[in-house]
Amino acid sequence: MMKNLVKKIKGFFKRMNEKVNTKRLLIAFVLTLAVGCIALSLGNYALKSEDSAVFTVSSGTEYQVMEYENNVLMVNNEGMSLVDKEGTTLWNVPLPITSPMVFIEDEYILLIDARGKTAHLYKGEKEVTFALTENEILTACLNKKGTFALVTSETGYKGMVAVYSKKGEE
């Protein structure tokens, strides 16, 4: 009788273990399928940094994608668009830029032309200010109040930093 009880207990645990493995397999399959569907619907995806990603959609257009006010900000060399979670375009700002770089802090968006000479500060779709530099912009940073700094190339130096107010004052 004891042998029978031990067999039943072993059988019970074996069946429980099989059920758990089946559940894990099913969950892994569903997650893999979901990730695959998302990848197919969005195109190629490669992580660029902690806060942004680069997507190439089926048309071959590459976008830098970032979160902005709980929506998706899409930026490329033709401008930027804000798209909600349902895929509806909330606004579009056409702005030809050779090599766009985007910086976001709270409600402000700083769009610069890396290796170019222009920087645009936006609050949503409205341009707050514009800066034109004498030398190429290497990088930039932005704070929550809309103040931004541009790092530009400078002959004889590694670079020069200029700080701008949200009014465009250097």
Side-chain angles (χ1 to χ4, degrees), residues 68 71-74 80-84 88-92:
Y68 177 70
N71 294 299
V72 178
L73 182 69
M74 300 176 65
M80 63 181 175
S81 299
L82 189 67
V83 179
D84 67 14
T88 305
T89 301
L90 302 175
W91 49 259
N92 183 42

Side-chain angles (χ1 to χ4, degrees), residues 34-44 57-58:
V35 169
C37 288
I38 290 169
L40 285 174
S41 67
L42 294 176
N44 299 327
V57 293
S58 59

Side-chain angles (χ1 to χ4, degrees), residues 28-155:
F29 175 76
V30 169
L31 288 174
T32 303
L33 185 61
V35 169
C37 288
I38 290 169
L40 285 174
S41 67
L42 294 176
N44 299 327
Y45 169 72
L47 199 56
K48 189 115 173 177
S49 71
E50 286 182 30
D51 299 328
S52 71
V54 174
F55 284 90
T56 303
V57 293
S58 59
S59 66
T61 305
E62 191 174 276
Y63 290 93
Q64 183 177 358
V65 179
M66 302 177 84
E67 180 184 339
Y68 177 70
E69 296 185 340
N70 294 318
N71 294 299
V72 178
L73 182 69
M74 300 176 65
V75 179
N76 68 6
N77 60 353
E78 296 174 1
M80 63 181 175
S81 299
L82 189 67
V83 179
D84 67 14
K85 294 174 184 171
E86 286 76 40
T88 305
T89 301
L90 302 175
W91 49 259
N92 183 42
V93 176
L95 185 66
I97 290 183
T98 306
S99 185
M101 283 181 70
V102 182
F103 303 87
I104 296 176
E105 281 296 331
D106 283 351
E107 60 192 354
Y108 292 101
I109 303 167
L110 180 63
L111 180 59
I112 67 166
D113 193 358
R115 299 287 176 197
K117 297 180 179 184
T118 58
H120 303 266
L121 181 67
Y122 287 88
K123 191 173 183 180
E125 64 186 303
K126 299 196 184 328
E127 188 172 56
V128 176
T129 194
F130 167 81
L132 181 63
T133 62
E134 290 181 26
N135 297 316
E136 290 182 343
I137 300 172
L138 303 175
T139 190
C141 63
L142 171 67
N143 74 12
K144 295 177 182 184
K145 295 181 180 182
T147 302
F148 60 98
L150 300 176
V151 179
T152 59
S153 61
E154 183 69 27
T155 307

Side-chain angles (χ1 to χ4, degrees), residues 5-37:
L5 184 58
V6 170
K7 274 186 178 181
K8 284 184 180 183
I9 291 172
K10 283 183 179 179
F12 172 76
F13 282 112
K14 185 177 178 184
R15 284 191 304 277
M16 287 299 291
N17 196 23
E18 288 173 359
K19 286 182 182 178
V20 169
N21 287 339
T22 304
K23 285 181 184 177
R24 286 182 183 162
L25 267 171
L26 183 59
I27 290 169
F29 175 76
V30 169
L31 288 174
T32 303
L33 185 61
V35 169
C37 288

